[in-house]
Amino acid sequence: MKRLLLCLIFFSFPALSQESIVFGVHSKTAPLEWRNNGVDQGFNIELMHRIGQLTDKRIIIRRKSFQQLVKDVHNPGSDIDVIAVVSPVNLDRKLSQSDPIYATHAKAYTLQGKALINSWTDLVGKRVAIKKGAFVDVYLSGYPQKFNRVDVDLYETGFKQLIEGEVDVVIAESFVARRLLPLYPSVRSSSDALIYGAFNFVCNGKKAALMQEINDALRQLKLSGEYDRLVNKWFGTGREKVDLTSTEKRMFSLAILVAIVSASGMIYTGFISASLRRRKKALDAELIQRRRVEAEISNISKQFQSVLDGIPHGVTIVNRELQRLWSNDNNVHLLISEDFHYIDDQAFDLRPAVLQVLNEQKSLIADMMYLEQYWQLQIHPIANDQVVVLLEESTEQHKLRQANEEASRLASLGELSAGIAHEINNPTGLILHAISLFSAAIKDLNPAANYYQQQNPFWQIAGLAPSQAMEEMAVSSDTIEEAAKRISRIVNDLKRYALPNLTQDHTLVCLNEVVEVALRLTANQTKTRQVTKLLHLPSPRIMGDAQQLHQVLINLIQNACHACAAHEGSIQISTQVSQGRALIKVNDNGCGMDSATLKRITEPFFTTRRTEGGSGLGLSVCSRIIKEHQGQMQIHSAPGKGTRIQLSFALVQE
């Protein structure tokens, strides 16, 4: 339980009746109470005297230490009935308490000439005296501050330490400080109210009936106006309650001093008034100039801030402890996201990156990824303990760079392919021409070989029986012919891959007709698969080369057939119109592809069917043709879930 008791008040009351109210009083000091020639007097003396009269109870005072009073008020069996406390206005008290008696506050006090305290931040790093157990102490227990706290037993002790240079600031309750300030003229009030508090009487919850009587008496005093007269008497404006005898002496001496100073001042004023008027005019002119400069600086600052806030890229300033000092709040969430990582998939942690830049005083620039986006991260040192973090999305630049690299690679490959095709075509043609002659000759020599073998049973060809040798030669001939044809197909694919862009020859093409032609030309491959055809009517039309589009769709249908098992495979081909685009979709329920294969599927010479005669140029050629038609190809696939391919072209409106 938080300590609620902060400031105990001394009371002294005459006995009035047999029944009594026992008040616990701090043994060292009684704030708001003063003595004149050793006689107790003050607001609380008169207030409790009137409460005792109205409740018909005798007032008994018991002096104890602060710690003992805290224990007694929580102990139902203690000999203390009531104590008086001051607590922050935002602090709830669980004990039974009276109506608020008066409001007070605490503020900062420093030596004359020291800087004013405008807020708690001005106390950072200073030595601040706090009275242990006071309501300032209770308030600060819930609001830790960044100053060096020095605990004192009394506010007066804090004022003495302030004068001796042991502390820089004293935070004191205002009414107590008003009593102490005349005794310590080198101390002054240096701030507005920092904490607001309320004065109440408090007792144990078991004595709620007693507190009710006290509250009734207080309300009667307020309704009658007697409470207001007491407040005006003791706390009225300008009423500094101090020891009256010593005050009278000091005031008499002060009056004589003031009279002397006043006379001297009047003479001195006559001499300096003229110079003060001149100085005032100069200061007024300077003030006007300063205000004009401050207005210009303020406008420039606002413009600069507006520019920074309008930058689409993220700009953030942090210190060594990763405290955000300033940010335009653009994409700052990336810095703490687990999905934000280096382009090589290494995890990103802001703290070691900032420490590296600060320790080496060297900028860090890295390419990053967040989900499907590419980003460039820059961290630059701007002070010994501060860096600026810049975040710029580079997805479009990254894709353009990849496209440029792919275009350069494909251009080089196209030139190479054209040269290779030319060099291989001639010997391949000779092989095909010669092997057809050998195949025909072997067929014609079979009867002669059989006849000669009958005449010479021991005759052999290449160490084999003539019939076996002729059969092996026929098989070898077929193998050579098939290999030469495969070389010829690869050369033709290379030649098609190296063909120039024929965009200028494009004509109006109906996509439904392209599908129909492609299905007719692949009928032999699709006859063992279930093919579904869904064509949009009227047929979507685009500008293009029908023969090249046939080649693309035939290649896609053949790939779908290769991916699907015979008699179990299902292929769906459809044409659609969506958002001003003409679409061709080819879906199958085949084996599908993993992500690694998908990334390379359009690379020249990449194939998963190398052993089955695949050249790896089919989809590369298709990709080039689609790009020449200003189209797009999207491929979605997963192992065991089939493949979905969508071709998108600009639609020619009817």
Side-chain angles (χ1 to χ4, degrees), residues 187-202:
V187 178
R188 71 163 182 177
S189 170
S190 299
S191 75
D192 293 326
L194 298 176
I195 310 171
Y196 291 93
F199 176 83
N200 301 78
F201 295 138
V202 176

Side-chain angles (χ1 to χ4, degrees), residues 95-115:
L95 298 175
S96 180
Q97 59 183 354
S98 69
D99 293 342
I101 298 174
Y102 58 78
T104 184
H105 62 271
K107 56 185 179 179
Y109 294 85
T110 64
L111 293 176
Q112 297 284 354
K114 297 296 183 180

